[in-house]
Amino acid sequence: MQGKLTIDPSNQIAKVDDRLYSSLIEHLGRAVYDGLYDPENPNSDKNGFRQDVVNAIKDLNIDLVRYPGGNFVSGFNWEDSIGPKDQRPTRLDLAWRSIETNQFGLHEFMKWTKQSGTRPDMAVNLGSRGIDAARNLIEYCNFPGGTYWSDLRKKNGAEEPFNIKTWCLGNEMDGDWQIGHKTAEEYGRLAHETAKVMRLVDPDIDLVVSGSSTREMATFGSWEETVLDHTYDDVDYLSLHRYYDNEENDLHNFLAKSIDFDEFIGGIVAVCDAVKARKHSNKTLSLALDEWNVWYHSHKQDDETAPWQQAPHLLEDHYNFEDALMVGTMLITLLKHADRVKIACLAQLVNVIAPIMTTEQGIWLQSIFFPFMQVSKYGRGIALQPKQTSDTYDSKDFKDVPYLDSIAVYNTDTHEVVVFAENKGEEAMDFSMNLQDFNAQNLVEATQFYGYGIKQTNENQQMKIQPNDQVTLADNSLKTKLAPLSWNMFRIKVTD
């Protein structure tokens, strides 16, 4: 089996936005409680923050963290989460039918972001609430002082403004499962008016308006058009969400779903540009893929979980090796769309469909942790348009699927070309790469993530990224073999 990649430094997609490597923390299951926050755990500091979790998150190089949801935000009263902890109310969370104690709230989250080296991406409730709660929240967070809400923030221990600069206008408002679900017309009007008052408080914020929650919605496309008719001039990003599963237990069809992912992003771009043309606008709208992942393993367990518990075990997928390959090929697809996708949040971060899992004793890293960690660490710089040839296969839903999926990123700071390549086939691939005008100097690192059963998970913490010692680099050409079903990375020092 053959795979070839040609890298041309002049064929650039765009500079990769650091926010492409972001995540989501929702008040759902054990994401917050037992995940980020566990005051009784010996691994926690004086704030109750799990330090083993903080260190693992730093390894992932996460930029933004979207909070507090997710579906949770559409029934959330933000005022419940501030002030003395012993005065905060315990509420029913209708989104996930759980008990919310509000012991981890707005101030705790802001302290946690500083400790974890991340930045906040705050969502406002446009389900059960609306304009007034949103304007009060941004005044509380961002206004310097001298007003009711900003002075209340100071009274609660934060003298300086939080200066949160990225805000989501609700969550999945097209879905009937959402508290306060709205039609596109209803939501578009509300989002427009909410954006208007939030910008009056802080003109320097970035706003994300909710697009379709999934491509399978009957309103997909028309929802975006209607919402953007109302909000195109008000917002900076349109959100999109995408999850994949392997319910049919068909490996090759599962991995081929990266084609659907590519088409999904391309379709949303087309809708945005159609609205731009119709409005005769000079603004090109960017995308925020603020939920994406593999999600399906926990469905049966979730159906059997009794309601009205505190921090129940919900959405606790234990990811296997084929899931890691799927996450890898989705990351490559995101880089291929770096010109329009500027924010992307792996959903979620801890315990809930997450790369990091906690126990009372410590943490363990899921299979999907490894490709995300590598791309987040080394996929910084300018994404280059891949020109590749590869053997192909047909699956149940897709034709002419390349066994090779690849992308290159040129980091001008380190003078490295970093290539991510995945072999989706069950045979080894003879892989060659032509760097053309890059003047390759030496191979800095070559790694491979391979050799595990496709259903193997990582509870025993045996998975690891291994070196690839069978690589030759000469005359601007790299040659090696990609192991069957493998995730690979190559770092090459170049001169201009």
Side-chain angles (χ1 to χ4, degrees):
M1 191 159 60
Q2 303 286 326
K4 297 181 180 180
L5 174 65
T6 300
I7 302 171
D8 185 346
S10 66
N11 198 1
Q12 301 182 0
I13 300 172
K15 187 179 187 299
V16 179
D17 196 304
D18 288 340
R19 296 171 299 173
L20 200 70
Y21 308 117
S22 297
S23 193
L24 164 65
I25 277 289
E26 180 173 359
H27 283 253
L28 191 180
R30 297 192 308 123
V32 172
Y33 306 106
D34 291 354
L36 303 190
Y37 181 74
D38 192 355
E40 303 304 318
N41 192 281
N43 293 299
S44 297
D45 67 3
K46 64 181 181 180
N47 296 308
F49 303 157
R50 288 281 298 252
Q51 295 304 291
D52 46 1
V53 171
V54 165
N55 291 334
I57 289 169
K58 288 180 178 178
D59 288 340
L60 287 175
N61 299 287
I62 296 293
D63 189 359
L64 295 180
V65 176
R66 184 168 167 247
Y67 175 85
N71 294 348
F72 174 83
V73 75
S74 293
F76 178 53
N77 297 330
W78 70 267
E79 303 92 337
D80 293 344
S81 75
I82 61 174
K85 289 187 179 183
D86 60 359
Q87 296 178 27
R88 297 180 191 177
T90 295
R91 302 285 194 190
L92 293 181
D93 166 29
L94 301 185
W96 301 105
R97 303 187 76 204
S98 303
I99 300 296
E100 174 55 55
T101 65
N102 285 299
Q103 292 303 289
F104 184 96
L106 178 58
H107 285 254
E108 288 78 26
F109 175 66
M110 293 307 302
K111 286 180 182 178
W112 179 86
T113 59
K114 286 183 170 59
Q115 190 176 117
S116 61
T118 61
R119 297 186 294 153
D121 176 3
M122 187 65 64
V124 300
N125 177 358
L126 295 190
S128 65
R129 305 188 77 184
I131 300 169
D132 205 44
R135 72 165 181 169
N136 294 342
L137 175 58
I138 194 169
E139 179 184 325
Y140 185 92
C141 292
N142 286 14
F143 201 75
T147 66
Y148 174 80
W149 289 110
S150 61
D151 286 347
L152 183 58
R153 180 197 71 240
K154 293 185 177 187
K155 180 181 177 182
N156 288 333
E159 181 67 26
E160 298 301 319
F162 293 143
N163 283 324
I164 299 172
K165 292 305 180 185
T166 306
W167 295 80
C168 297
L169 299 170
N171 174 75
E172 293 187 352
M173 299 309 300
D174 64 324
D176 188 50
W177 59 86
Q178 201 71 212
I179 296 170
H181 160 64
K182 294 171 174 58
T183 66
E185 187 72 28
E186 291 168 338
Y187 171 68
R189 286 284 301 126
L190 177 59
H192 165 71
E193 293 298 333
T194 305
K196 184 168 66 178
V197 299
M198 291 179 74
R199 287 201 190 278
L200 287 172
V201 177
D202 187 346
D204 297 325
I205 56 175
D206 286 339
L207 292 174
V208 182
V209 71
S210 290
S212 293
S213 53
T214 174
R215 193 181 187 187
E216 286 70 36
M217 296 294 289
T219 55
F220 174 70
S222 64
W223 171 274
E224 281 80 3
E225 284 191 307
T226 301
V227 168
L228 290 179
D229 277 342
H230 289 288
T231 63
Y232 194 90
D233 295 328
D234 306 309
V235 301
D236 306 282
Y237 304 92
L238 174 71
S239 82
L240 54 162
H241 294 176
R242 200 63 175 150
Y243 296 98
Y244 289 101
D245 66 66
N246 190 17
E247 295 279 9
E248 67 270 29
N249 194 25
D250 182 339
L251 170 67
H252 291 298
N253 198 59
F254 180 43
L255 297 182
K257 291 178 181 180
S258 60
I259 294 176
D260 175 88
F261 192 39
D262 179 76
E263 292 174 349
F264 172 58
I265 296 171
I268 295 292
V269 166
V271 172
C272 291
D273 289 349
V275 176
K276 173 185 177 180
R278 190 168 65 249
K279 286 181 169 289
H280 306 286
S281 175
N282 292 321
K283 181 174 82 173
T284 298
L285 201 65
S286 295
L287 303 183
L289 182 71
D290 52 23
E291 290 187 30
W292 71 273
N293 206 343
V294 173
W295 174 19
Y296 72 103
H297 296 285
S298 59
H299 289 342
K300 183 178 179 181
Q301 173 193 323
D302 293 346
D303 290 341
E304 297 171 352
T305 300
W308 311 126
Q309 301 180 59
Q310 292 183 21
H313 289 256
L314 290 175
L315 280 69
E316 295 199 11
D317 282 35
H318 285 200
Y319 290 114
N320 56 37
F321 185 64
E322 66 183 3
D323 298 327
L325 293 175
M326 184 61 197
V327 165
T329 196
M330 292 178 77
L331 284 162
I332 289 173
T333 304
L334 286 175
L335 288 170
K336 290 177 181 177
H337 289 277
D339 56 332
R340 298 300 289 270
V341 180
K342 300 300 182 181
I343 300 172
C345 301
L346 180 71
Q348 293 190 20
L349 190 51
V350 185
N351 286 333
V352 172
I353 50 174
I356 303 166
M357 302 295 290
T358 68
T359 68
E360 290 184 4
Q361 293 73 37
I363 65 170
W364 59 278
L365 307 178
Q366 298 238 49
S367 63
I368 65 171
F369 183 96
F370 298 97
F372 188 96
M373 175 186 66
Q374 282 200 317
V375 179
S376 179
K377 185 173 183 178
Y378 295 112
R380 311 271 178 164
I382 301 168
L384 302 176
Q385 189 68 50
K387 181 181 179 182
Q388 72 167 43
T389 58
S390 168
D391 293 329
T392 62
Y393 67 93
D394 294 339
S395 72
K396 180 172 70 73
D397 296 321
F398 303 95
K399 301 294 184 184
D400 298 320
V401 181
Y403 281 108
L404 173 67
D405 198 3
S406 62
I407 189 73
V409 177
Y410 176 41
N411 190 321
T412 56
D413 293 333
T414 62
H415 297 284
E416 286 184 2
V417 171
V418 182
V419 174
F420 304 103
E422 182 165 297
N423 179 5
K424 298 182 180 182
E426 294 175 282
E427 300 177 10
M429 176 183 293
D430 291 323
F431 177 70
S432 62
M433 180 169 54
N434 182 357
L435 281 89
Q436 283 197 304
D437 299 328
F438 263 117
N439 297 320
Q441 297 300 299
N442 61 281
L443 182 68
V444 177
E445 184 181 18
T447 65
Q448 49 192 345
F449 187 43
Y450 79 107
Y452 303 102
I454 59 173
K455 303 300 182 183
Q456 183 175 340
T457 57
N458 197 36
E459 288 94 333
N460 62 8
Q461 292 296 274
Q462 296 300 304
M463 288 184 175
K464 61 181 180 179
I465 291 173
Q466 303 172 56
N468 180 353
D469 299 325
Q470 306 300 313
V471 181
T472 61
L473 178 64
D475 299 325
N476 269 12
S477 179
L478 180 147
K479 293 182 180 180
T480 190
K481 279 188 178 292
L482 302 186
L485 297 174
S486 64
W487 166 262
N488 304 267
M489 182 186 73
F490 307 94
R491 295 169 54 206
I492 304 157
K493 181 71 77 173
V494 298
T495 58
D496 296 332

